[in-house]
Amino acid sequence: MQVVNYKCNVDHLLIESTNGRIKITPYTNSIIRIRYTVEKEIAIKESLIVEKNAQEPVLFSVQETDNVVKFSTSDVQIEINKQTCAFTYTDSSGQVLTKEPERGGKTLVPIEVVKSVFDENTEIQNSQNVDGARAKALPEKHIIDRTAYHTKLEFEWADDEAIYGLGSHEEGILNLRGTYQYLYQQNMKAVVPVLVSTKGYGILVDSYSLMTFHDDIHGSYIWTDIDSEMDFYFIYGPQFDEIVKGYRHLTGKAPLLPKWAFGYVQSKERYKSQEELISTIKEFRKREIPLDTIVLDWMSWTGELWGQKSFDPERFPNPTKMMDDIHELNAKLMVSIWPIMNNDGPNHVEMKQKGYLLGNQATYDAFRQEARDLYWKQANDGLFSHGIDAWWCDCTEPFEADWGGQVKPEPEERLRINTEESKKYLDPGFINAYSLLHSKGIYEGQRSTTETKRVVNLTRSAFAGQHKYGTITWSGDIAANWETMRNQIADGLNFCVTGNPYWTVDIGAFFVAKKDQWFWNGDFQEGCEDLGYRELYVRWLQYGTFLPMFRSHGTDTPREVWRFGEPGTVFYDTIVKFIKLRYRLLPYIYSIAGWVTHQDYTMMRTLAFDFIHDQKTYDIKDQYMFGPAFLVNPVTDPMYYESGSIKIENATMKRHIYLPSGTDWYDFWTDQRMSGGQQIEASAELETMPLYVRAGSIVPMGPNIQYSSEELTEPLELKVYKGQDGSFVLYEDEGDNYSYEQGEFSTIPIRWEEDENRLVIEKRCGSFQGMKSSRELLFTLVNSSGPTYTQQKVVYNGEPMFIHFS
C-alpha cells in the first residue's frame, strides 16, 4: 500500500493510497485519531464511546521528504512511510514511541455480516442455571445484513516495553507482552479496548465487536471481528496519569460516587426479607462494626418472575418503611436488577407489548433509547421510588453460553460458543457494548429523576466509556482458592490502567465449595467453619480494604463478620481491625475520589504509574499503589491452615516484597523506614498484611466511626512521613448529590517542606453547604530517624498556616 496523494484540511490530513484512505485527525496536541477505510469515502460515524465535543482545534503541520510524510502536533509526530504506509509514532523530539512493521501494519479483510431473523414462529426455550434465568431462541432464518471488515492493527513493540490494559480477565496477567487475550464480554471477563505502554502512550480502539490481542507466535497486533473501518486513537502521555487523562478527555469524566460508596458493603447470596436486612444492620451497629451498605441480591421479586423490578409484598411488605428504617440506621440499600425478564411478569409483558425485547423475547434491547427509558421507568416505579440507594446491574453480558458442564471449555471453544450466542441476538458488530448502553440508561434515568442521589451502579461487565455512567465493575463469580485471589490483583490493575477507575471483587469469592460444574470450584466444603477458608477470607478482606469498593459477597456460606468467630478470636478481630482501618482512611480515600473526578486521577495504580523509571516494577503483579501514599502487598499464600482446617507447620509468616526505587518507604504498622530499590522479606502475620507508605506522604486519617456520614467528634489527623517534600489536596463536599458539578466543594492544599521541617496548609478554596468554617487538626510527624512521633494540634479556619517542627 503506497501513498498516492495527500491533502491537508483544516482539521485533518487525508492520505490517498493504492488501497484505501487514511484520515489523521488531531483531537488535542497529544491525542490523534486514525481511521482507515477501503471504501470510496470516510463514513460518518457516531461513536458510542467518544464524546461529541472531544475534538479541539489543533495546529498541525505536514512535511514531505523522499520517503516520508510527517504529520506533527506540538507533542506527537507520525511518520508515514510513502512506500508502505507504515506508521512510526514519535514524541516532539523524534524519540520513537512505537511503530508498525516496515511492510505496513493496517489490514482490512471483507466479511459478510449475518443476522438472525426472528418471527412469531421462532421457538423460545426458557431455562435457569446458577447464574439466573435464560431464554434461548432457535431462529430458522438468517440474512446477510451488510459487508464489513476484519481489521488488523500491527505493532513492533520494543524489547523493554511493558503493555497493560484490555480490562479485567481471569488469567491474572499484568504485563501483556508475550501473551494473547480474547476480548468478549462474559462472566469473569470485562472488556475495555485500551492498551497503555511504559513507552508513554496508549491506544483506544473504537470497536464494539469481538477483538483479540496478540503478542505471540502469531505476531503483535489487535484484531477486530466486524467493523466498517479501522478506527483508533493514539494517546501520548508520557506519564500514565496523562494517558488516562487523555482517555477521559475522549470518553468522558468519571462522576463522583457518594462518600458512603467507599465504606464497607455487606452482601451475600442472599438476604431474603425486609426483617433479615434490617436485623443484619442492627447487629453491625450493636457490635460497633462499621457498615454503610447492605445488598439485596436476586429475587427481590415475587415467585418466579425473574427480572421483575419490584419487591415481593410477602417478604418486603412495606418497602418504603423498610428504606426509612435502613436510613435511620445510617445505612444504604443496593438492589440487584437484571436485563433479562421472563415468566410474563408485569415488566416482561410491558416490554414485549412495546416490542422492546431482543430475539429471545426475554432480554430488553438496551441499544434502543425507548427501551432504556422504559427499563428505567420500571426500575423507578418498583424500586427507586421507595428510596433505594444503589443498583447492582447483574448479568450485563446477557448471553453467556458456557455456564455449565463439569469441564471448563478450552479458551477458543469458550470464545466460539459465547460470541455465537451473542451474535444471534445482537448486531455482530456490537456484541461488546451491551453493558455500556445498559449503564447509560440507568445513569440518565436516575439523573433525570433526581439530583440528590449520586448514581451507584455495580456491573459485571464494562466497556470503554462506561465509567461516565457512575459504574463500578466487579470481577464476576470467582471461586475461593488462593490462585484465584492471586490472579485478581493483576486483573484489577489492568482494568484500572485503562482509565476506568472503579473496580472490585467478591471478597472471599463467590463460589466457596466444589460442585459438579467447572466454575463451582472452591476449595472449602465447610465454608466459614473451615479455618482454611477463614484465613483466605481474612487475606481477601485485607486486600479488599484497599480497593475502590470494599465489598463482601458470595454463596455457599454466610459472610457477616461474626460468622468467622467472636471478639477475642484472631479472625474476627482482624476483620474488624481492617474494616475500621478503611473508615479511618475515608478522608484520604474520598479525597482521591475527588481527584478521580476533577483531575482524572487513578486510585488503584499499577506500579508503572508512579515508578515508570524503575523497570523492576513492570512485571510485579501482586503489589500496587493505592493513591499516592500506600504500597499494598496482599498475602496470597496460606500460612496457618490448609483446606479442611489442617494446620500448616513451620510457616515463615513473611511475604517477599520489592520496594520501588527513587524514594524511601515506611512500614505502616511499625513506622520503620527503609530504602527503596530493594527486595525485602516483610512480616506477614495474619493480623497485619504488609503495607508501606512512601516518604513525603501526607495521609489524612479520621477517628473511628460507624458509618461514613457520622459527625466527627475528634480531630482530623494528618500523618506526615518525613524523607522528602510532599503534598496532598484534601477534598470535601456534601457527600451525596451533584452540587459539586456547580463548584460546591472545597479543597485544602497541604504540603510538607522537608528542608524547612514544616507543614504548610494553604488557603481553603471553595465552599459547600454544611461546610465547617473551622476544624481541629492533629499533625503527626513520622520521623525519619526511627519509629518516633512529633505531634501538634491546631484549629484551622481556612486561612494559610505554617506549622514548624523542631
Side-chain angles (χ1 to χ4, degrees), residues 112 139 172 216 223 312 319 327 407 441 446 532 582 590 610 618 707:
E112 293 181 336
D216 54 21
W223 177 89
D312 176 8
H327 291 157
V407 178
Q446 183 174 322
R582 174 75 173 203
Y590 193 62
D610 299 285
Y618 289 2
Y707 48 91

Side-chain angles (χ1 to χ4, degrees), residues 83-95:
Q83 297 304 310
T84 65
C85 289
F87 280 23
T88 298
Y89 302 86
T90 76
D91 63 18
S92 59
S93 68
Q95 182 72 32

Side-chain angles (χ1 to χ4, degrees), residues 195-257:
L195 295 175
V196 177
S197 167
T198 54
K199 291 296 184 182
Y201 67 90
I203 302 287
L204 165 64
V205 181
D206 196 343
S207 170
Y208 324 112
S209 74
L210 163 69
M211 288 174 264
T212 66
F213 165 88
H214 286 269
D215 185 38
D216 54 21
I217 195 172
H218 300 293
S220 300
Y221 60 89
I222 302 166
W223 177 89
T224 77
D225 184 25
I226 296 172
D227 279 296
S228 60
E229 63 183 13
M230 179 180 289
D231 189 359
F232 66 97
Y233 295 79
F234 184 88
I235 307 169
Y236 175 64
Q239 299 301 315
F240 277 26
D241 282 308
E242 293 302 313
I243 297 169
V244 168
K245 191 177 187 71
Y247 165 80
R248 294 200 197 138
H249 172 82
L250 290 171
T251 60
K253 292 279 189 178
L256 188 53
L257 300 180

Side-chain angles (χ1 to χ4, degrees), residues 539-551:
R539 294 304 196 186
W540 220 312
L541 183 128
Q542 290 172 340
Y543 163 52
T545 304
F546 295 91
L547 291 178
M549 175 173 268
F550 183 31
R551 166 184 164 274

